[in-house]
Amino acid sequence: MTGILAGLRIVEGSAFIAAPLGGMTLAQLGADVIRFDDIKGGLDSDRWPVTKDGKSIYWAGLNKGKRSIAVDLRNPKGRELLSALIAAPGEGGGIFTTNMPARGWLSYEELSKKRADLIALNIVGDRHGTANVDYTVNAITGFPMVTGAVGQQGPVNAVAPPWDLATAYAGAMAILAAERHRRMTGKGQRIVLPLQDMALAATSALGYLGEAVVNQVDRPRYGNEIFGTFGRDFRTKDGRWAMICIFSDRHVDALAEAGGFKEAFARIEKEQGVDLKTDAGRWTARAALIAVIEPWVAKLTGDEVSAKLKKAGALWAPYLTFRELANDRDAVHDNPMFTVLDQPGIGRYPVAATPLQFGALPREAPKVAPLLGQHTDEILSGILGLSGTEIGKLHDEKVVAGPR
Amino acid sequence: MTGILAGLRIVEGSAFIAAPLGGMTLAQLGADVIRFDDIKGGLDSDRWPVTKDGKSIYWAGLNKGKRSIAVDLRNPKGRELLSALIAAPGEGGGIFTTNMPARGWLSYEELSKKRADLIALNIVGDRHGTANVDYTVNAITGFPMVTGAVGQQGPVNAVAPPWDLATAYAGAMAILAAERHRRMTGKGQRIVLPLQDMALAATSALGYLGEAVVNQVDRPRYGNEIFGTFGRDFRTKDGRWAMICIFSDRHVDALAEAGGFKEAFARIEKEQGVDLKTDAGRWTARAALIAVIEPWVAKLTGDEVSAKLKKAGALWAPYLTFRELANDRDAVHDNPMFTVLDQPGIGRYPVAATPLQFGALPREAPKVAPLLGQHTDEILSGILGLSGTEIGKLHDEKVVAGPR
C-alpha cells in the first residue's frame, strides 16, 4: 500500500454500485478495503453484464483492489467475526461502510459497543429508509422528462447512473471528513447518506428547483442542445456524430476558423441583433447557427471534421460506442490511467486506475477484483489474529469460506 | 462555522459546474470556501437559467454558502492579493481549487513559493490539458449511443451531467485526502483531476469496457429497461408514468402482491423455464413480465398505482417534472434537508443543505449564494490584515470591488 490513503482500513458490506464504487475509490487511493459477503455471494455477485460462462463483469469492475472475506451471514459466529473485524484496532481502522440494512448486529449502536470511535457510513435509499435505486431516484428528479428528442413522449432514463456515482464519491469524501474529525476529537460517528437526498441536493445545486419555482416553468425538452448557450450533435457525411459546443469567446472564434464561418457568424449577429460572445446571444441565435454548421458537417467525413475542429481548437468531441472507446488509442491505449489486466475467470481488458493524480506519490496501477473469499484466511489471521487451527475449524463448520 | 470541516479554508478560482460544486460541497460541510472572480464576474456569472431580469439561478445554485471576493485579475496587484490569499496561513488554509488554466501566477510552481505546503486541486479537461465539458466527455464514453428509445438513431445526451457531478465530489474527496496527507507528513502537493479521465474511470468501473472487449459486443439500446434485471417505465390510465423495478427476491414478491401477479409470475416461470428470483431469469422473461404489468398499470390512475405499490413495498417511483418535484411534499417540503431561502435578486425557493447527515454534529442549514464581491473587504481585512485605508485605496484603484 503506497497510495495517499495508506494506513486507512475500511470494512464494506455492500451491493450494486454506490457503496462498492465508494469503497473502490478509496481502495484505488491505497486504503485497505475489505468487502465482506455471504459465502453464497452478495446480491450483486452475478449481476449483468456477464461473460458467456456467467461470470459478472459488473462485479469485477466495482470491486477492484479490495480484499474479500466470505462469511455465513446467518451464523452468529460469522456475525461475531465480522463485528470484530469492523471494530478491529489500528489508527486508520474502525471504519465501516454499508448499503445493507444497518440493523441488529450491523447497527451503529451494536458495533460501536465494540469500538467507541467507530465511523460508519450508511447509504440508504431515502431518509425514511425505503429501498431506492438510481432509477427510482432519477424518476422523481425531473431529468427523465427533459431528456431525449424534442417531441418525445414520456420519460427517458439515464444509462450512466448519475446518483449512484454522486453517492459513491460523496460517500468516500464523507468518510475522510469523519476520519479528520476523529483525528481532531477522538470521536467516531455514524453518517447517513440517502441516495434520494443526494439526487435532490444535486438537482437543487444545478438550479432546476430554483428555475421551476422562480420562473414558474417546466423546462421543455431541448433534445441534444445545451440549454442556455450553444451545443448540439451533428451528423457527418459518413454517418458519424460529433458534439460541437461553444462555452466561451474562444470557442466562437475557433469554430468560426474551423468552418470558415467568420462572415456567417457576423451576419447572424447583425440579422438577429445578438452578440455570439454571450450565452444569451448564442442561445437566441441557435437555429441560425445550426443552419450554418449542419450543412458544413454533412459534407465532410468524421475524420475531416475531426481534423478541422482539432486544428482550430474548437470545443467538440466525436460520439463513440463502447467498443470504439475500448479501441480508442488516445482515450484508452495511450492513456497511462489504463492497464490491461487479466481478471481471473473473465479475461484481459483495459482497466482504469484512479483518475486522480496526486503529486506527492506515483499513481498506483489498477488491481484485479478478488475472488469471493480470496482473502478470508489472511484477514482472519492477519487482522483478527486467529491461528491456523481456529481458521481450519471455521472452514469445517462452514462459518467462513475461501475462494470458490 | 460548526460543520464537520470547520477550520478548513479553501480558495476557489472556478466556473461552470465541477469545480464550483466541489467547493460548495465542502462549504456546506462547514469549510470556509472563498470563491474569487474577476470584478466583471466569471465566465458563468450570467449562465442560464436566469430570471426575467437576467440574474443567474444557475450561479446561485452552485455557490451557496461561499464567500466572494472580486478582484481585477489582469492587474498585477490583484494577482498578488489573490496569491497571498491562497497561501495565507492557518492550519486548515493553503488549499486552492481551480478549473481555470493553472498557469503563470496561478501555477502550483509559483503559488507554492509563497507556501511550501500548499495543496492545489487542478481540474482539467483531459490529461493533455485540452478544454472539455461534460457534454464532450460524455460523447466519447459510449453512453449517448445506448440512451433513449429502442430504434432511436444517433446519440442522446444526458441532461443531468454525470461527469461534472462525479468530478465535483471526487475532487472534494481528493482535497481531504491531501489534507490528511499534509497532517501526517507536513507536505503539500498538486492534484490533477482530468474530467475526461474521471468519466473514463467510471465507465470502466461500471463494466462497459470489460463487456465491450470480453464479449465483443456493443450493447444495444434497451430504451428505459434496466439491463440484466427487470425495470421499466409504465403509463397509467391518467397519463402519469411510473418506474417499476425488481432488484431482489423481496421486490418480486412485493410486485406480485401489489398487482395480484402471483399466479401470472408462476406461469411465466413455468412457460419460460426461468426463476424470477434471479437477474438472468427476470431479464430473459422481461417481455412476459411487461405483458402482465403494463395492462394492470394502464387500468389504474397514478394515485391508485402509487397506493398499491407503496402498500406492498415494491421498488418503484413516479416520474415527476421539475415543477412537480418543487411542489412535492415528501421529497421537498417535508424534507428537513430543504429550507426556503430568499436568494437576493432572485427570490424565494427551496434550497438543499448537504445530503450528508453526520451524527457528531447537527446539519447546517443551507445558506444563500453571495453577491459578487460581497466579502471583498472582510477577506482583505480579516485574512490578509489590510487596513481600512489600504482597502479603500484598492477600491479607488479598481483593483478590487465590492458587491454590484
Side-chain angles (χ1 to χ4, degrees), chain A residues 193-242:
Chain A
L193 176 51
L195 183 67
Q196 188 190 73
D197 278 356
M198 183 76 242
L200 297 177
T203 303
S204 163
L206 293 168
Y208 288 91
L209 290 181
E211 184 186 20
V213 174
V214 172
N215 289 354
Q216 285 292 309
V217 291
D218 258 322
R219 193 188 293 187
R221 281 194 160 91
Y222 288 114
N224 285 336
E225 290 190 55
I226 304 175
F227 176 72
T229 180
F230 183 78
R232 220 198 66 168
D233 56 315
F234 291 92
R235 189 157 202 227
T236 69
K237 189 171 84 175
D238 53 348
R240 312 284 309 173
W241 298 86

Side-chain angles (χ1 to χ4, degrees), chain B residues 117-358:
Chain B
D117 68 349
L118 181 78
I119 292 168
L121 170 68
N122 293 161
I123 297 173
V124 296
D126 65 24
R127 71 184 193 282
H128 309 297
T130 310
N132 268 285
V133 292
D134 189 276
Y135 289 89
T136 56
V137 158
N138 194 44
I140 72 161
T141 60
F143 286 106
M145 298 314 251
V146 296
T147 304
V150 177
Q152 166 107 30
Q153 291 299 303
V156 174
N157 287 347
V159 179
W163 318 119
D164 276 340
L165 294 169
T167 300
Y169 303 118
M173 176 198 68
I175 286 174
L176 297 187
E179 204 253 351
R180 178 176 180 271
H181 189 257
R182 186 168 73 179
R183 275 173 190 271
M184 294 168 75
T185 66
K187 289 182 184 156
Q189 63 189 306
R190 179 182 183 219
I191 314 157
V192 178
L193 177 51
L195 183 68
Q196 189 190 73
D197 278 357
M198 184 75 242
L200 297 177
T203 303
S204 162
L206 294 168
Y208 287 91
L209 290 180
E211 183 186 22
V213 174
V214 172
N215 289 356
Q216 285 292 307
V217 291
D218 259 321
R219 193 188 293 186
R221 280 194 161 91
Y222 288 112
N224 285 336
E225 290 190 56
I226 304 175
F227 176 70
T229 180
F230 183 77
R232 221 199 63 166
D233 56 315
F234 291 92
R235 188 156 202 227
T236 68
K237 189 171 83 174
D238 53 349
R240 313 283 310 172
W241 298 87
M243 179 75 202
I244 301 177
C245 318
I246 302 176
F247 273 76
S248 74
D249 294 9
R250 209 161 43 79
H251 306 144
V252 180
D253 295 336
L255 183 55
E257 192 191 318
F261 301 140
K262 208 176 158 188
E263 283 163 32
F265 283 5
R267 175 181 53 75
I268 290 169
E269 287 188 321
K270 203 173 158 193
E271 284 177 7
Q272 309 228 352
V274 300
D275 179 355
L276 291 179
K277 299 214 162 160
T278 65
D279 281 337
R282 296 189 279 270
W283 179 242
T284 306
R286 65 193 190 278
L289 286 168
I290 292 168
V292 166
I293 300 164
E294 199 163 46
W296 174 74
V297 175
K299 271 186 218 142
L300 301 170
T301 65
D303 286 348
E304 288 165 348
V305 169
S306 168
K308 284 175 193 284
L309 291 170
K310 209 179 267 183
K311 192 178 166 204
L315 183 61
W316 81 287
Y319 285 92
L320 302 179
T321 68
F322 293 117
R323 280 177 89 174
E324 286 166 350
L325 172 61
N327 291 318
D328 194 81
R329 181 172 293 185
D330 182 67
V332 176
H333 294 282
D334 288 350
N335 188 341
M337 182 174 73
F338 281 98
T339 306
V340 175
L341 293 184
D342 190 351
Q343 176 68 45
I346 293 181
R348 289 172 61 82
Y349 55 96
V351 168
T354 177
L356 286 158
Q357 299 163 41
F358 286 90

